[in-house]
Amino acid sequence: MSVLPIVICGEPVLHRPAAPVTEFDAELRALVDDMYETTVAAPGVGLAAPQVGVGKRLFVWMYEEQDEAPVQGAAVNPELWIAPLEPGLPGEDEVEGCLSLPGERFALRRSSHALLRAQDVDGKPFEVRASGWFARILQHEFDHLSGLLYVDRLVHPENRAAQKAQRKNGWGGPGLSWLPGVDDLEG
Ligand code: ZN
């Protein structure tokens, strides 16, 4: 297993839809193992394949603060249903981050409940119900597979702050990445 470099906002693979996984083989298992290790090293609570430069419909989560789902899991070819978004502006407890925009955080409203249906690393279907922060993680990672970053969903004034932060960091073009455990960039 190895820690993988995480690509930064601006890398094209982050901004286009990922392709379905068709082979449930040793290569996929190795990728998932490396993604777990990278998530631990970052540290983070979730990681989508495009963030390690792989344009496939796959993400992992590692999150203990929820009851129903396993503490860690891989969602391959996921589908996600979410509860209607309650109107209003995001609260202070809704500040989100992303390993592809390391060190930055912005407030974003998310649905409080989500239902995930996906395949595991062997291709076996499973279902997970999520609420609270775990529902947020699933929405965040699922968005990555559509080529969406959470900063793409921000509303005023958070979107302005995010644009400013990206300029300040010199992000937005291709070719940037960081290596967890080596580069000290964690969010
Ligand atoms: Zn992210």
Side-chain angles (χ1 to χ4, degrees):
M1 296 215 293
S2 49
V3 173
L4 304 170
I6 297 176
V7 299
I8 285 174
C9 176
E11 185 66 23
V13 70
L14 289 175
H15 304 283
R16 60 183 175 226
V21 172
T22 54
E23 307 288 326
F24 293 83
D25 53 11
E27 197 185 324
L28 181 69
R29 265 187 292 279
L31 172 62
V32 167
D33 286 344
D34 287 349
M35 286 172 64
Y36 283 137
E37 192 166 333
T38 305
T39 305
V40 170
V45 290
L47 186 68
Q51 294 184 273
V52 293
V54 178
K56 289 188 178 168
R57 297 189 62 76
L58 155 71
F59 66 77
V60 301
W61 74 82
M62 300 187 94
Y63 188 63
E64 291 179 19
E65 319 281 316
Q66 36 89 25
D67 316 318
E68 290 179 36
V71 165
Q72 70 174 53
V76 182
N77 298 327
E79 294 176 87
L80 194 73
W81 287 266
I82 58 174
L85 198 60
E86 286 176 27
L89 292 171
E92 281 174 15
D93 57 347
E94 294 187 277
V95 175
E96 200 165 309
C98 177
L99 295 173
S100 291
L101 297 101
E104 302 292 348
R105 287 175 186 278
F106 301 99
L108 173 65
R109 197 110 212 196
R110 292 278 195 190
S111 293
S112 58
H113 290 80
L115 168 65
L116 169 72
R117 285 192 184 131
Q119 291 166 280
D120 68 12
V121 73
D122 298 312
K124 198 174 145 236
F126 70 94
E127 188 177 294
V128 158
R129 280 169 204 281
S131 61
W133 202 263
F134 186 46
R136 175 179 296 269
I137 293 167
L138 296 182
Q139 290 167 74
H140 179 115
E141 301 310 331
F142 184 79
D143 271 354
H144 273 299
L145 308 183
S146 309
L148 269 182
L149 299 179
Y150 82 108
V151 290
D152 298 326
R153 290 191 180 277
L154 298 177
V155 296
H156 185 80
E158 292 290 276
N159 56 350
R160 299 272 302 264
Q163 282 161 11
K164 227 178 190 176
Q166 287 180 58
R167 274 199 302 275
K168 182 196 77 191
N169 285 297
W171 297 339
L176 298 175
S177 68
W178 69 285
L179 190 58
V182 176
D183 303 316
D184 183 19
L185 283 173
E186 62 153 276

